[in-house]
Amino acid sequence: MDSKMALKTWELTNSVQSLPPTDEIYKYEPASHQAILSAKPWEKDHHYFNKIKISALALLKMVMHARSGGNLEVMGLVVGKVDGNCMIVMDSFALPVEGTETRVNAQAEAYEYMAAFTETAKQIKRLENVIGWYHSHPGYGCWLSGIDVSTQMTNQQFQEPFVAVVIDPTRTISAGKVNLGAFRTYPKGYKPPGEEEQEYQSIPLNKIEDFGVHCKRYYSLEVSYFKSSLDQRLLESLWNKYWVNTLSSSSLLTNADYMTGQIFDLADKLEQAESHLGRGGFVLGLDTQEKKAEDKLVKVAKDSAKTAIEAIHGLLSQTLKDALFNVPLGFRPPSSE
């Protein structure tokens, strides 16, 4: 498989839509942007923005930056515009910030860099504005922690329209598909009218409490990706670097600690589910207790299947690389005659 075929496979896996260079999505109208800033429709409808479209170029730059951080969180900003209830990300850039395994903090240097970048972009006629930020959650899924919620609420208060994008580089490597989510927070004190159906995702046991406490304070946007022939040269240039890194690494080794942690996490979740079942819920006929135990077991089963699929994916990838690159010298494939 060569680099171009790998790029095509990546685009198909992540459902990247090809658009003509003349598409309206590539046009920026300052008057339209100013009109929506003046109208502020998001103040009347807290679910006003419900979709986000991300260019393949911005997506690849965010993924590469997130992967470069390893087990540490990284942070950057996304540049684009809004079109009705849709936020459109045209580009992204990394910020020089200090990150840990659980949080990322922007210092004065990062804000100076951000100001310089946006000013330079205006000088070369890139008129799009900063419309959000992104950061990574290495190995624990795409959602907003308590700190993330506070950061996003502050951003929405002073820099609307603004979106929070979260990438999990570890699960991206394991699954072979970009693991990304986009979110906006509700105003303080606002309660959503009904239970919003969200796609199930595996949350480590040590993060479940933080997830559960804050999950009603924000909502997710529908994410899609796009590209055009104008992006192709830059996309291929970036992809060559990404492809070499992917080809020269093994997800089984790169994510060894992550996979081990997943197994330990599954064991803890099974033990917790077993303790719920052993409290006499079935004997006493407590339907609620029984239902909670069943829900926990269903989630553990889903997490187990996901972990197994990721391990098989890594093993198949390594086997294929071994067959391609470790061919003995002088070996000739058998003739089909």
Side-chain angles (χ1 to χ4, degrees):
M1 182 186 289
D2 62 12
S3 177
K4 289 186 177 180
M5 187 180 295
L7 175 57
K8 188 65 179 175
T9 303
W10 181 82
E11 290 173 356
L12 289 172
T13 302
N14 292 288
S15 304
V16 178
Q17 182 185 7
S18 294
L19 300 175
T22 55
D23 194 277
E24 291 293 324
I25 203 170
Y26 292 99
K27 297 178 182 178
Y28 180 76
E29 298 289 344
S32 299
H33 181 74
Q34 194 57 48
I36 197 168
L37 285 182
S38 301
K40 298 180 180 179
W42 49 82
E43 291 185 353
K44 298 175 183 176
D45 180 3
H46 300 308
H47 273 97
Y48 179 75
F49 294 112
N50 53 32
K51 295 179 182 178
I52 183 169
K53 295 181 180 180
I54 303 175
S55 74
L57 192 62
L59 175 66
L60 190 53
K61 287 172 72 174
M62 288 190 287
V63 170
M64 291 176 68
H65 183 210
R67 282 187 62 171
S68 71
N71 291 327
L72 301 180
E73 289 193 12
V74 300
M75 176 184 168
L77 296 175
V78 295
V79 179
K81 61 179 183 177
V82 294
D83 181 16
N85 61 359
C86 180
M87 307 187 81
I88 301 172
V89 175
M90 307 299 295
D91 200 1
S92 64
F93 62 94
L95 288 177
V97 298
E98 295 180 2
T100 69
E101 293 186 0
T102 56
R103 67 180 63 182
V104 61
N105 300 310
Q107 305 295 333
E109 182 186 356
Y111 290 110
E112 290 172 7
Y113 181 89
M114 178 177 66
F117 183 95
T118 51
E119 183 62 32
T120 305
K122 300 292 183 186
Q123 292 174 7
I124 60 171
K125 307 302 181 184
R126 289 294 301 271
L127 302 177
E128 295 92 353
N129 300 280
V130 172
I131 61 165
W133 66 300
Y134 72 87
H135 70 290
S136 60
H137 276 185
Y140 50 97
C142 298
W143 46 280
L144 297 185
S145 66
I147 295 172
D148 298 338
V149 168
S150 298
T151 301
Q152 178 60 18
M153 287 183 74
T154 302
N155 285 328
Q156 286 184 206
Q157 187 176 356
F158 297 105
Q159 302 187 69
E160 282 282 45
F162 219 77
V163 66
V165 176
V166 183
I167 304 167
D168 188 334
T170 307
R171 294 187 181 184
T172 293
I173 295 171
S174 290
K177 181 180 180 181
V178 177
N179 191 266
L180 179 148
F183 310 96
R184 278 178 56 82
T185 53
Y186 295 120
K188 187 174 291 186
Y190 175 80
K191 292 184 179 180
E195 290 291 325
E196 183 184 355
E197 281 292 327
Q198 295 187 355
E199 183 181 351
Y200 173 75
Q201 61 173 317
S202 175
I203 308 292
L205 202 58
N206 63 341
K207 301 284 185 183
I208 282 180
E209 184 177 353
D210 192 18
F211 171 78
V213 168
H214 304 287
C215 66
K216 303 295 185 186
R217 298 174 64 188
Y218 61 90
Y219 69 96
S220 59
L221 282 70
E222 180 186 326
V223 181
S224 61
Y225 310 110
F226 68 92
K227 68 161 193 171
S228 84
S229 57
L230 295 177
D231 302 328
Q232 199 62 32
R233 183 172 293 182
L234 282 173
L235 199 55
E236 287 178 359
S237 178
L238 271 177
W239 177 259
N240 287 336
K241 183 179 178 181
Y242 180 81
W243 171 237
V244 169
N245 291 340
T246 303
L247 203 60
S248 60
S249 65
S250 166
S251 62
L252 294 176
L253 297 177
T254 305
N255 285 355
D257 291 341
Y258 164 70
M259 294 301 290
T260 304
Q262 289 288 91
I263 300 300
F264 277 113
D265 190 60
L266 285 170
D268 290 340
K269 287 177 178 177
L270 277 172
E271 188 176 337
Q272 191 180 78
E274 185 182 16
S275 68
H276 277 279
L277 287 170
R279 288 177 183 172
F282 293 113
V283 177
L284 298 174
L286 300 177
D287 293 340
T288 304
Q289 188 74 12
E290 180 182 342
K291 185 71 168 63
K292 284 183 179 179
E294 286 180 355
D295 287 345
K296 286 181 181 293
L297 287 174
V298 168
K299 289 177 180 178
V300 170
K302 287 181 179 179
D303 292 349
S304 301
K306 182 183 74 69
T307 302
I309 290 170
E310 289 176 354
I312 292 169
H313 180 272
L315 188 60
L316 287 174
S317 175
Q318 197 62 26
T319 303
L320 181 60
K321 290 177 187 177
D322 183 63
L324 287 172
F325 303 115
N326 294 333
V327 179
L329 289 173
F331 173 79
R332 291 184 178 181
S335 175
S336 59
E337 295 180 359

